[in-house]
Amino acid sequence: MDATLHKQSFWSKYIFSTDHKVIGMQYAIMGIIMAGVGGFLAYVFRYNLAYPNASIPLFGHLSATQYNAFVTCHGMIMVFWVGMPVLLSALGNLLIPLMIGTDDMAFPTVNMLSFWIFFLSAVVLLASFFVPGGAFGGGWTMYPPFSAGGYVNHNPHFFTALFSGVSLMILAVALELVAMLMGGINFVVTTINKRTKGMTAFRVPIVVWFINIASVIFMFSVGPLVAGAFMLLFDNILGTGFYDPARGGDPMLWEHLFWFFGHPEVYVLLLPALGVLAEILPVFARKPLFGYKPIIYMALVSAVLSVLVWAHHQFVAGIDPRMATFFSIGTILISIPFAGIFLSFMATLWKGSIKFSVPMMWVLGFIGLFLIGGLTGLFLGSNTFDIYAHDTYFVVAHFHYTLFPDIFFGFFAAIYYWFPKFTGKSLNAGLGKLHFWLTFFAFNVTWFVLFFNGLAGQHRRINDYSDFSLIMREPYITFEKIATISAIILILSQFIFLYNLFTSLAKAKKGVKNPWESNTLEWVADSPPPHGNFQTYPVVYHGPYEYSLPGEGADFLPQNVQGKNDTNNVTQNNYEHKTATSFATHK
Amino acid sequence: MEAVMTAPIQEKKITSDGIIGMVFVLATEAMFFAGLISAYIVNRAGVMVWPPAGQPRLPIEVTAVNTLVLLSSAFALYMFGRRVKSAAYIKIRSKGLLTAALLLGATFLAVQGTEWVKLVGYGLTTHSSLYGAFFYTLIGLHGAHVLVGLTILLYLFSSFRKPLPFGVLKSRIIACSMYWYFVVAIWPILYILVYLN
Ligand SMILES: [Cu+2]
């Protein structure tokens, strides 16, 4: 270890650190805290849905305005302050440098700034709850005219308008997007330029590929949203009227700019989690990943398609029917590459010697739940059915069946799998399994019943159904209550995880390097990896999923270990001689 | 304790980190302006009388000259980049061309500012009409990019104080220049769409 590293103060080591692992943990911790906020909001408004006008334990009475704000912020927080930081930023930061065998990101200072801008964005969003009028309540999609002044927050003065719920939410989202952009550029440049010797493009683990593809999709689609967000902010604080039809503006413009980003965003969230699955499945099936290259190609195809389908969110808002057909076909087409990726995952399991470890359970749970989410998505992709189901609980249940496994099952799989690497300690497996089963059942009960409420016509933006006779009858009233009680169980089960996390962190370090007997490079480093990651940089001889190869001693072959068939791979490279001499000079 | 860490042995770099990073920054920026410009074109297409009655005309001639100022700034920067053949050049020769690029960029911004003050005086504001709203948003956000570009050029200027390996210096000049070229290249498009339309 470099002697100067021991002199780091607490502040430069844990707070304003430029170490990718510390920044990754900071993102993960912020994500967990924000998930707590988002979960609490969900608890409050779900309670209100089942028991209208009741006094809610730990909260009190929920007004209709507050209900709207809570639903809006729940969606915002779970997508932008939980999904993005934990799946893209935390995983990207923790994994990329270790998995490609390097010491840190390409731009460590930009990386640190990225986290602190993200932190600031979370503060701005939470502050919006405390301004006059409260947080914005016009839905997480922020459609004008609700979000463009006039209707909900009419503030004639510049500063009153600036410190209103809607303006602060726009600012918070803009800051968050800047933070993610800084992170994304770091990921891509690091992966392009800092791979260790022998780590050719098609030896890079899938999760690194997928985080990079997600970053590129994000960079491509975020610009128009930021442009739209500026115009929305100016409508609020400068009175521009871009989205106000009375003054020649066009509210549909926002919908296009928003969903041009909003739909690809789904894949920005999905791809890193699928990458986690691709890392964990071969390890616990003790088999090579089925179709490594096709999986990458299918992800690239889906990335291209992802920016061509956005208007399927606007079938009801009104678009040309010929265009609606185009977007319907695109939407159904994009399910083909994802079906391909899932089939590759299934094929990886086929005839494997499956170990039902805790991370593997989250992975299998993910696949099961996502199947339901994906199938209901096919229904909605058809604009004829979508017009019927629009804005009902059917849609809400559908996207919770995709986003919940994606964000939470993906993240928990990652935590249970990589926790030993980044702490040198291990989580309790029994508590992990209890956590999994409770989460899995409670989630299913909560959302499965709501498909039926949605098909019966229950609309998603109403806080009190007392006057709606079609919904206020059996079995739908009971379904509402079942969903709420089950959601509370779902939230309470997460305390098992927190308990497990804290008690495991309090244990002594064991520092086991490779507890799961995996192949990728992060398992070559110490547990936890020191600042700079590797004592000597590993050299890579083959792809990341070489399990149960015939003729090898063990049933796994780490990427830095030369296998029987790898003899010529590295020595044939023409830069071998050059790097060998530069290696000597650095000594 | 002796340091055992060795410098990373890596796969070949395509080009410097800074240049690749800048490519992605500019791709994002291009999409940002694509969003703004398409919003403008879509709204503009739906309006018969443009600019609306009672709203002042934009200063086409002054801005045409100002466009030339901005273009010549990019040209000065280009000539500067071409002339830097060694690290010694920057020490020995003055950084005249880079200074010229900076000053021309600042002039562009200053002229834009004075024209804005006049336009506000004539009654064109962000809330006077959609015409004004788009004008100030498009041109203002471009102006903000010019300001960022000038800051980047200043950073480039200041980085000559420390002695740097020529390779590092050269790729830094390229990365910083790329941003400025982008900011300059987007301007004629905006001039044609907003002023001449
Ligand atoms: Cu979509």
Side-chain angles (χ1 to χ4, degrees):
Chain A
M1 285 289 290
D2 200 316
T4 55
L5 297 180
H6 296 290
K7 287 182 197 153
Q8 285 183 320
S9 70
F10 171 81
W11 285 92
S12 65
K13 198 169 177 189
Y14 296 108
I15 307 298
F16 297 106
S17 171
T18 55
D19 181 355
H20 70 99
K21 297 179 291 293
V22 177
I23 295 170
M25 304 256 203
Q26 287 173 327
Y27 265 116
I29 292 166
M30 259 324 266
I32 293 173
I33 292 171
M34 292 306 278
V37 177
F40 180 75
L41 297 178
Y43 152 75
V44 172
F45 65 71
R46 269 248 55 97
Y47 198 99
N48 181 74
L49 279 167
Y51 307 99
N53 292 318
S55 175
I56 299 159
L58 298 174
F59 183 76
H61 178 74
L62 184 73
S63 72
T65 313
Q66 280 174 320
Y67 174 91
N68 288 338
F70 278 28
V71 173
T72 301
C73 290
H74 167 77
M76 269 291 176
I77 287 173
M78 290 304 192
V79 170
F80 288 107
W81 280 275
V82 182
M84 293 287 277
V86 301
L87 293 175
L88 201 64
S89 310
L91 291 181
N93 270 305
L94 289 170
L95 298 179
I96 289 176
L98 279 162
M99 282 186 145
I100 64 171
T102 191
D103 53 348
D104 208 327
M105 288 289 173
F107 310 111
T109 315
V110 173
N111 208 16
M112 177 197 70
L113 278 176
S114 157
F115 173 75
W116 286 104
I117 292 176
F118 173 76
F119 182 82
L120 181 67
S121 77
V123 171
V124 172
L125 183 84
L126 294 178
S128 78
F129 279 97
F130 303 102
V131 294
F136 176 62
W140 82 281
T141 52
M142 309 189 80
Y143 281 0
F146 289 123
S147 58
Y151 278 84
V152 172
N153 298 308
H154 186 69
N155 294 306
H157 301 296
F158 180 81
F159 283 105
T160 331
L162 185 61
F163 293 103
S164 66
V166 64
S167 297
L168 289 182
M169 182 174 277
I170 299 169
L171 277 175
V173 171
L175 285 171
E176 199 266 0
L177 296 175
V178 168
M180 295 295 131
L181 189 61
M182 292 164 90
I185 288 171
N186 241 325
F187 297 160
V188 177
V189 175
T190 305
T191 312
I192 290 176
N193 257 2
K194 295 197 76 177
R195 281 169 287 128
T196 192
K197 191 174 140 196
M199 183 60 88
T200 54
F202 285 114
R203 289 177 184 172
V204 171
I206 293 283
V207 71
V208 177
W209 263 102
F210 277 18
I211 289 172
N212 276 283
I213 297 173
S215 302
V216 172
I217 300 176
F218 176 80
M219 286 185 249
F220 184 79
S221 61
V222 75
L225 175 70
V226 175
F230 268 116
M231 291 158 69
L232 191 57
L233 186 66
F234 293 162
D235 268 14
N236 280 289
I237 61 175
L238 299 174
T240 44
F242 290 117
Y243 303 117
D244 181 0
R247 300 168 59 192
D250 181 5
M252 281 298 286
L253 181 62
W254 168 259
E255 298 194 17
H256 283 290
L257 294 172
F258 181 87
W259 286 114
F260 182 79
F261 169 81
H263 188 83
E265 169 69 9
V266 172
Y267 305 114
V268 174
L269 291 174
L270 179 58
L271 284 170
L274 289 184
V276 171
L277 265 58
E279 296 311 314
I280 296 177
L281 276 167
V283 175
F284 296 108
R286 308 312 287 173
K287 269 188 67 195
L289 185 68
F290 183 86
Y292 168 82
K293 275 191 189 177
I295 287 177
I296 294 168
Y297 294 141
M298 285 185 283
L300 290 172
V301 168
S302 68
V304 173
L305 285 175
S306 74
V307 291
L308 298 173
V309 300
W310 78 89
H312 62 208
H313 296 275
Q314 294 150 249
F315 288 152
V316 172
I319 56 171
D320 187 313
R322 287 162 296 188
M323 290 305 284
T325 308
F326 170 81
F327 284 108
S328 268
I329 292 169
T331 304
I332 292 167
L333 270 185
I334 203 167
S335 62
I336 294 173
F338 283 107
I341 291 172
F342 274 96
L343 282 175
S344 299
F345 290 171
M346 303 295 208
T348 305
L349 289 172
W350 181 255
K351 290 189 176 170
S353 34
I354 297 170
K355 283 186 209 163
F356 288 98
S357 65
V358 182
M360 188 63 161
M361 292 169 86
W362 288 100
V363 166
L364 297 175
F366 183 125
I367 294 174
L369 295 182
F370 204 86
L371 195 68
I372 299 174
L375 285 176
T376 49
L378 277 181
F379 295 5
L380 294 168
S382 149
N383 63 56
T384 40
F385 178 78
D386 183 62
I387 287 169
Y388 172 73
H390 181 80
D391 260 0
T392 66
Y393 271 83
F394 189 89
V395 174
V396 183
H398 152 70
F399 68 69
H400 278 85
Y401 260 101
T402 57
L403 284 172
F404 191 91
D406 173 25
I407 296 174
F408 292 100
F409 280 55
F411 184 48
F412 285 134
I415 288 190
Y416 283 102
Y417 182 64
W418 277 294
F419 186 85
K421 173 48 59 187
F422 289 101
T423 59
K425 302 165 186 186
S426 54
L427 288 165
N428 181 308
L431 285 174
K433 285 180 183 172
L434 182 68
H435 175 214
F436 169 78
W437 285 115
L438 278 172
T439 306
F440 186 78
F441 275 112
F443 173 80
N444 272 299
V445 172
T446 306
W447 286 103
F448 204 75
V449 293
L450 291 176
F451 276 123
F452 298 103
N453 281 33
L455 286 175
Q458 186 173 0
H459 193 273
R460 66 191 274 202
R461 305 204 195 275
I462 292 168
N463 68 321
D464 180 355
Y465 287 90
S466 307
D467 297 331
F468 292 75
S469 57
L470 277 172
I471 296 301
M472 289 310 280
R473 64 191 165 101
E474 293 302 342
Y476 306 112
I477 299 179
T478 314
F479 282 177
E480 261 318 289
K481 289 182 177 150
I482 290 175
T484 295
I485 292 164
S486 176
I488 293 170
I489 295 171
L490 178 63
I491 291 168
L492 289 178
S493 333
Q494 306 317 308
F495 286 97
I496 300 171
F497 165 71
L498 289 178
Y499 174 79
N500 197 352
L501 198 65
F502 287 119
T503 49
S504 304
L505 282 174
K507 280 190 285 191
K509 256 184 211 160
K510 280 189 238 143
V512 185
K513 265 196 182 181
N514 192 358
W516 313 112
E517 304 192 317
S518 322
N519 286 343
T520 37
L521 289 184
E522 77 273 27
W523 304 103
V524 175
D526 288 342
S527 306
H531 199 294
N533 296 341
F534 298 98
Q535 299 294 321
T536 46
Y537 289 93
V539 175
V540 170
Y541 294 93
H542 49 77
Y545 307 112
E546 308 281 352
Y547 292 97
S548 305
L549 286 189
E552 300 289 349
D555 73 341
F556 68 113
L557 186 63
Q559 285 192 281
N560 65 327
V561 173
Q562 195 166 5
K564 292 210 171 83
N565 300 325
D566 294 332
T567 38
N568 294 323
N569 278 2
V570 169
T571 44
Q572 270 178 354
N573 288 337
N574 54 6
Y575 51 85
E576 164 74 4
H577 178 70
K578 217 191 319 175
T579 44
T581 48
S582 69
F583 186 78
T585 51
H586 280 296
K587 276 184 175 170
Chain B
M1 207 166 82
E2 190 60 43
V4 283
M5 263 195 328
T6 49
I9 317 163
Q10 289 168 341
E11 286 286 314
K12 267 187 195 158
K13 288 194 174 196
I14 297 172
T15 177
S16 81
D17 294 351
I19 294 175
I20 299 179
M22 190 52 82
V23 168
F24 286 105
V25 170
L26 294 183
T28 311
E29 291 276 27
M31 286 306 292
F32 170 76
F33 278 104
L36 270 184
I37 289 171
S38 60
Y40 170 73
I41 290 173
V42 167
N43 266 33
R44 165 76 184 79
V47 184
M48 291 297 142
V49 187
W50 192 270
Q55 288 284 282
R57 298 296 174 271
L58 298 174
I60 292 174
E61 296 79 13
V62 178
T63 314
V65 176
N66 211 12
T67 304
L68 291 178
V69 170
L70 193 63
L71 289 175
S72 54
S73 158
F75 183 70
L77 188 64
Y78 172 73
M79 290 311 289
F80 169 75
R82 268 187 53 152
R83 288 217 192 156
V84 178
K85 293 254 161 55
S86 71
Y89 171 85
I90 292 172
K91 272 191 189 155
I92 300 163
R93 301 283 299 268
S94 72
K95 293 147 230 167
L97 283 165
L98 182 57
T99 317
L102 258 165
L103 288 178
L104 286 166
T107 309
F108 171 83
L109 211 55
V111 174
Q112 290 282 83
T114 47
E115 290 304 316
W116 274 35
V117 174
K118 282 186 205 160
L119 283 170
V120 173
Y122 296 146
L124 186 73
T125 64
T126 54
H127 46 87
S128 65
S129 65
L130 208 56
Y131 178 68
F134 268 114
F135 172 77
Y136 287 110
T137 302
L138 261 66
I139 306 305
L141 287 173
H142 178 265
H145 280 77
V146 173
L147 202 60
V148 173
L150 288 175
T151 316
I152 289 176
L153 290 186
L154 269 177
Y155 159 78
L156 182 64
F157 199 93
S158 71
S159 69
F160 297 143
R161 267 188 250 152
K162 272 184 284 177
L164 287 169
F166 181 62
V168 176
L169 198 63
K170 190 78 190 171
S171 55
R172 187 173 294 177
I173 292 174
I174 294 173
C176 293
S177 304
M178 279 163 70
Y179 192 88
W180 189 247
Y181 295 152
F182 174 82
V183 169
V184 174
I186 209 96
W187 173 252
I189 303 171
L190 291 175
Y191 178 69
I192 291 166
L193 281 174
V194 177
Y195 285 79
L196 304 182
N197 203 325

